[in-house]
Amino acid sequence: MKKAFQLFDFTQKVNYKNEILAGFTVAMTMIPESLSFAILAGFPPLVGLYAAFIAGLVTAIFGGRPGMISGGAGATVIVLIALMKSHGIEYVFAAVALGGVVQICIGLFKLGKFIRLVPQPVMFGFVNGLAVVIFMSQLEQFKTIVNGQVSWLQGTPLYIMTGLVALTIGIVLIFPKITKAVPASLVAIMIVFALVIVLNIETKTVEDIASVQGGFPPFHIPNIPLSFDTLKVIFPYSVIVAAVGLTEGLLTLNLVDEITGTRGNSNRECIAQGSSNILNGFFYGMGGCPMIAQTLVNLGAGSRARLSGIIAALTILIIILFGAPVIGKLPMAALVGVMMMVAVTTFEWASFRIINKMPKHDIFVGILVALITIVLHNLALAVLIGVIISALVFAWESAKRIRAKHFIDENGIKNYEIFGPLFFGSTAGFLEKFDIVNDPDHVIIDFKESRVSDMSAIEALNNLTKKYNQLNKVVELKHLSEDCRQLLKNADAVINVNIIEDPTYKVVS
């Protein structure tokens, strides 16, 4: 019981200075991103900030991965744009809450562990594609609206923006060589902010995107008809939101595991995400999920515990309530520079060094996942396609490994020794190994170096033994599990299973 309610591990050494400063830095980078995605989807701007606060706080306290940051992420918001346009924001809130229920169910049934099935080439493609998306999204801040038309900055505004971004990047690169006591990204934001205020430089600020002034997230039950027709409208969106959120979240969790050398709890993270989205649906939030860019900002600032996420969420709430006049003056160039550096450090540059050592199909999968992520911004679809292709390639490669060694012993019995897995992809090759017509009347098939993996394999064995039986030939199948023997009902008369040496594995059905 103690473990269930233990929100913090007090035995862990926490660097409180790093955690607090990391939290402030994360909050600064989350605010413009949450505002931008809310406006993109047609939501009121504060809906994005409420999502950042609620998702950030709940997952920081209850989530399965200390150091991971959640908020109003674009990955989930993009899914809801169509629903917003067709039915309005009340249906969006309902879909977000229902998506949270789906995520909790996934966590309760312990399905989060299946994220381990994502191969490394898919992870490479996911991370590289996301790095490009993060970088390209920052270029939007170099645009402005003139007479209702979106156009690129020109002249002095462009030079100022470019110069401030370059200054920010320079500080982020150089400051860690001076000291690592304070996060370089936070220092860069503060220096550029101070420079713009003192010199009265006219440049794009946070308040140019939207106002961040507001009150505490109000409780609100989505105003929608409670009917089956409503459920048919929102349920598909809820499932997609849940899938996209968990895909990005659990992949981010894996990434943090690799960076920190520790291991998170995927099922606990699913439940925490689901709980935060239910609260989002009832407290004017647009829904959210873990944000890989902000997570990397957090880790880069030295955070390894839950405190930074809590600080970030509370900072956002305080800014909404009291700090809007100050934060509204924050230059976007500083935030753009920080996020560009995040994109550069996120990219797996090592993938270029090892590309000539990777199998061709792994290279193809990595590039394909990256392209889908960049073009469609659909992380769940990119990862799903990558996993499917990887699985098919694995099945094809495994199917080619089925081999058989045969010999006739001193008793005139022909022995077949099978090597390699027997499953749906290898059954055709397996059956080709046998000379049923010319074999002697007594045949032994030894599966000591093989494994029967699925129902297709069981059916192949069933067909093989039936063919031998039709020619009145006896077949002994050695080293098959009891499950296999029970399933081979049509061959009971000719099967002699070695019970003593039977393995204990179960047949996957």
Side-chain angles (χ1 to χ4, degrees):
M1 187 64 66
K2 178 183 176 183
K3 192 171 182 180
F5 292 99
Q6 184 179 348
L7 303 184
F8 302 96
D9 182 5
F10 291 106
T11 63
Q12 181 186 10
K13 292 183 179 180
V14 177
N15 188 321
Y16 290 97
K17 175 179 67 71
N18 282 357
E19 295 296 320
I20 293 171
L21 293 178
F24 291 151
T25 308
V26 167
M28 295 302 102
T29 61
M30 285 180 71
I31 289 172
E33 186 165 342
S34 298
L35 288 173
S36 297
F37 283 122
I39 295 170
L40 173 67
F43 304 150
L46 278 176
V47 170
L49 294 183
Y50 288 153
F53 162 64
I54 295 170
L57 184 63
V58 172
T59 56
I61 296 176
F62 299 103
R65 176 64 266 180
M68 193 160 75
I69 301 296
S70 295
T76 52
V77 172
I78 289 173
V79 173
L80 297 168
I81 292 177
L83 181 62
M84 176 65 184
K85 290 181 177 179
S86 61
H87 289 81
I89 197 166
E90 297 293 336
Y91 278 77
V92 169
F93 291 146
V96 168
L98 184 57
V101 174
V102 174
Q103 290 175 324
I104 289 178
C105 291
I106 290 173
L108 291 176
F109 287 106
K110 300 186 183 303
L111 301 179
K113 60 187 177 182
F114 287 104
I115 195 65
R116 299 174 195 165
L117 297 177
V118 177
Q120 192 63 36
V122 176
M123 281 292 292
F124 274 141
F126 163 77
V127 171
N128 290 346
L130 205 55
V132 174
V133 170
I134 293 171
F135 188 89
M136 296 299 293
S137 65
Q138 303 313 307
L139 299 181
E140 293 298 314
Q141 302 305 329
F142 286 84
K143 295 180 180 179
T144 186
I145 299 177
V146 180
N147 298 325
Q149 300 292 324
V150 177
S151 61
W152 291 95
L153 292 173
Q154 295 180 353
T156 302
L158 176 61
Y159 300 144
I160 292 174
M161 185 75 171
T162 305
L164 292 175
V165 169
L167 176 61
T168 304
I169 293 174
I171 296 172
V172 172
L173 289 173
I174 296 172
F175 192 78
K177 298 178 181 179
I178 301 173
T179 178
K180 295 184 179 179
V182 182
S185 50
L186 181 60
V187 172
I189 292 172
M190 293 297 101
I191 290 176
V192 174
F193 190 9
L195 191 65
V196 169
I197 296 297
V198 171
L199 300 181
N200 196 25
I201 299 174
E202 186 175 345
T203 186
K204 191 174 184 180
T205 61
V206 170
E207 66 184 4
D208 291 330
I209 299 176
S211 171
V212 295
Q213 182 74 48
F216 192 86
F219 177 74
H220 169 74
I221 298 175
N223 185 19
I224 58 172
L226 297 177
S227 65
F228 183 70
D229 289 336
T230 302
L231 182 63
K232 286 194 298 184
V233 171
I234 67 174
F235 186 70
Y237 290 97
S238 299
V239 172
I240 297 173
V241 164
V244 169
L246 290 184
T247 300
E248 181 166 4
L250 296 179
L251 286 176
T252 305
L253 184 147
N254 273 1
L255 188 62
V256 178
D257 285 353
E258 291 181 10
I259 293 173
T260 61
T262 57
R263 186 168 180 177
N265 187 324
S266 56
N267 294 312
R268 179 173 173 176
E269 185 62 34
C270 294
I271 295 173
Q273 281 193 47
S275 302
S276 74
N277 277 328
I278 290 175
L279 289 175
N280 264 297
F282 288 97
F283 283 90
Y284 271 100
M286 66 181 182
C289 69
M291 305 172 75
I292 189 169
Q294 279 67 29
T295 297
L296 292 170
V297 168
N298 191 44
L299 297 178
S303 170
R304 293 295 183 270
R306 299 179 183 275
L307 182 59
S308 61
I310 297 172
I311 294 294
L314 294 178
T315 300
I316 290 172
L317 178 62
I318 292 171
I319 288 171
I320 293 172
L321 298 177
F322 310 109
V326 176
I327 297 302
K329 302 297 183 182
L330 194 67
M332 286 302 302
L335 303 176
V336 168
V338 169
M339 296 307 293
M340 282 185 170
M341 283 306 301
V342 168
V344 171
T345 54
T346 299
F347 197 91
E348 288 280 2
W349 299 101
S351 57
F352 287 123
R353 294 198 302 268
I354 64 174
I355 195 168
N356 60 337
K357 301 176 183 177
M358 296 171 63
K360 292 181 180 179
H361 55 79
D362 283 347
I363 298 172
F364 172 75
V365 168
I367 293 175
L368 180 63
V369 171
L371 288 176
I372 295 175
T373 302
I374 294 168
V375 175
L376 300 181
H377 291 200
N378 192 329
L379 303 179
L381 178 63
V383 172
L384 179 63
I385 291 176
V387 170
I388 290 174
I389 294 176
S390 296
L392 292 175
V393 170
F394 173 78
W396 175 256
E397 293 297 324
S398 298
K400 295 191 294 185
R401 291 177 186 157
I402 193 76
R403 295 179 294 110
K405 177 182 177 182
H406 57 82
F407 61 91
I408 298 177
D409 60 23
E410 64 276 7
N411 297 319
I413 300 174
K414 189 168 185 179
N415 290 261
Y416 286 91
E417 294 179 351
I418 308 301
F419 298 86
L422 182 58
F423 67 109
F424 69 90
S426 61
T427 53
F430 168 75
L431 294 175
E432 292 174 357
K433 309 298 182 186
F434 298 92
D435 187 1
I436 299 174
V437 176
N438 298 318
D439 278 348
D441 293 337
H442 196 171
V443 174
I444 294 177
I445 307 176
D446 191 344
F447 286 88
K448 186 177 182 179
E449 301 296 332
S450 181
R451 175 164 185 159
V452 178
S453 302
D454 59 13
M455 289 304 301
S456 297
I458 293 294
E459 184 62 25
L461 287 177
N462 200 17
N463 291 335
L464 182 66
T465 53
K466 280 168 59 177
K467 290 177 180 178
Y468 274 112
N469 194 30
Q470 289 169 356
L471 296 176
N472 296 318
K473 296 181 180 182
V474 176
V475 179
E476 292 182 340
L477 305 180
K478 292 176 61 177
H479 298 124
L480 279 175
S481 69
E482 189 174 350
D483 291 338
C484 296
R485 185 182 59 176
Q486 291 174 352
L487 290 169
L488 290 169
K489 295 179 181 179
N490 294 334
D492 279 343
V494 293
I495 292 178
N496 180 14
V497 179
N498 188 335
I499 303 287
I500 297 175
E501 298 183 62
D502 271 352
T504 57
Y505 66 79
K506 301 294 182 182
V507 175
V508 179
S509 58

